[in-house]
Amino acid sequence: MSWSLRRMTRYVAQCKYLEQLKQNDDLCSQAYRKGSYLMFSNGKPLLHFGDKSAGLTIKFTNFIDAQTHCGEDLACRSVLLGIDEETDDIPMFASPVTSGIESEIETGTKFADLRTATLGLPSYDASLVARGYSLLTWLETMKFCPSCATKLSRNVAGTMLSCGTCSKANHHYPVIHPVAITRVEDPTGKKVLLVRQPKHPAGMYTCIAGFIESGESVEKAVRREIAEEAGIVVGKVEYFDSQTWPLPQNSLMLACITRAMPGSTTLDIDKQELEDAKWFTKEEVLKSYKTILANPNLFRNNEGNEFIIPPSGTIAHSLLKNWIGL
């Protein structure tokens, strides 16, 4: 990654301004009028559906229009997403709409389900949707202090809750659930272990994943999860990348790469967790990659139960795409 000096300077200024908005309620209140707004309806973000070349984009609206659709108490119900990358100081917010406005939105836009948004948007936009959904859901469900049951108050940015009476835990922040997802190769690196659960689309196999438990390192969680689900013992664990994932809860996917130890390639599948697990060659994964590229509808209609890898937009897809050299 290479940035110009101007871009680096702007990025630092944006980060500092964003932190000021979180910490200073008065400053954040003033910033609402110049902000851009991503509206949500029942957990669904408002997106613009362009032609095939343009794809999905977030449909932002201005303060006046957001107030019209989300209510006069906009600043009490919205959450801070970040600073527009193309500006120095234009904040972006997410806001829940009042009911019954679907008929009023512009042609070419609609409130899309979260999975469609997460998989169809560019990664930066997908992360904004994930943040907006997670913060709005958190504020909706976290109403009272878990220690003393006092009603919590929020900061203007919607990123922190405070208890005015409890001395044990004065501030509360959204809980992030770390998940380790791993590309497991055989000792030669010529095959990859993929698994499927009953809830997966027909024919889809993916990388082993599981929540990191309290007290575990990422490496320990990776080894435990693979041993539990597939009966395989792995060696060195390497970090690959990460991805925020809002479904089913506010998760942080930590993608890793590892190899099975020599002599540990025979599978012992946990049938309570998995429907199946198999070793696949690079040729098989490449064929699947080309198949879903040509026919994305296979995720919804795969009557032939053809082997498919996870869709573009998921970190499992990136792990496998990297493995086949694309």
Side-chain angles (χ1 to χ4, degrees), residues 44-307:
K44 297 180 178 181
L46 184 61
L47 305 182
H48 180 264
F49 288 72
D51 56 31
K52 190 173 182 180
S53 60
L56 292 180
T57 54
I58 291 176
K59 173 59 180 176
F60 282 105
T61 189
N62 60 37
F63 175 78
I64 300 299
D65 289 341
Q67 261 196 332
T68 301
H69 294 307
C70 302
E72 292 295 323
D73 57 345
L74 187 64
C76 299
R77 304 175 68 231
S78 302
V79 295
L80 178 64
L81 298 179
I83 307 301
D84 187 335
E85 282 190 316
E86 303 303 319
T87 72
D88 293 327
D89 61 353
I90 301 299
M92 300 176 292
F93 298 93
S95 306
V97 301
T98 54
S99 60
I101 75 153
E102 280 77 2
S103 60
E104 303 174 21
I105 62 177
E106 295 179 16
T107 302
T109 65
K110 73 174 184 178
F111 290 102
D113 68 85
L114 202 61
R115 185 170 292 274
T116 296
T118 303
L119 297 178
L121 288 167
S123 59
Y124 175 73
D125 287 359
S127 70
L128 293 178
V129 167
R131 177 173 171 81
Y133 173 83
S134 297
L135 284 173
L136 290 173
T137 302
W138 174 65
L139 290 175
E140 183 64 29
T141 57
M142 186 74 171
K143 299 287 189 181
F144 301 95
C145 176
S147 297
C148 69
T150 299
K151 187 175 178 60
L152 296 169
S153 60
R154 54 166 281 178
N155 65 342
V156 176
T159 58
M160 180 184 72
L161 292 169
S162 300
C163 176
T165 61
C166 182
S167 60
K168 292 182 179 179
N170 194 34
H171 300 305
H172 301 271
Y173 300 91
V175 175
I176 298 173
H177 302 273
V179 176
I181 179 167
T182 310
R183 187 179 82 209
V184 184
E185 302 171 13
D186 76 346
T188 68
K190 294 180 179 180
K191 292 184 179 181
V192 66
L193 176 61
L194 301 179
V195 301
R196 66 169 282 106
Q197 296 177 333
K199 66 180 181 180
H200 289 159
M204 195 189 88
Y205 284 73
T206 186
C207 300
I208 287 181
F211 288 102
I212 299 173
E213 297 182 355
S214 297
E216 280 189 322
S217 65
V218 175
E219 294 81 2
K220 185 177 180 180
V222 166
R223 293 190 178 97
R224 173 187 54 77
E225 197 70 28
I226 295 167
E228 282 180 4
E229 296 195 359
I232 298 297
V233 179
V234 300
K236 182 180 179 181
V237 177
E238 297 181 350
Y239 174 76
F240 174 76
D241 203 353
S242 65
Q243 178 184 32
T244 183
W245 191 253
L247 298 169
Q249 51 195 326
N250 187 19
S251 298
L252 178 63
M253 308 294 291
L254 301 170
C256 300
I257 301 170
T258 190
R259 284 191 180 184
M261 289 186 178
S264 184
T265 55
T266 301
L267 301 179
D268 180 9
I269 303 170
D270 181 355
K271 288 296 186 177
Q272 291 186 331
E273 288 283 339
L274 304 177
E275 182 181 283
D276 193 21
K278 292 180 182 178
W279 293 102
F280 291 89
T281 65
K282 287 188 177 182
E283 291 74 19
E284 289 172 315
V285 173
L286 178 59
K287 180 181 177 182
S288 173
Y289 171 81
K290 292 179 178 179
T291 297
I292 62 172
L293 197 63
N295 185 12
N297 289 328
L298 278 176
F299 291 106
R300 292 187 292 271
N301 183 16
N302 187 7
E303 293 181 357
N305 208 34
E306 190 169 358
F307 164 53

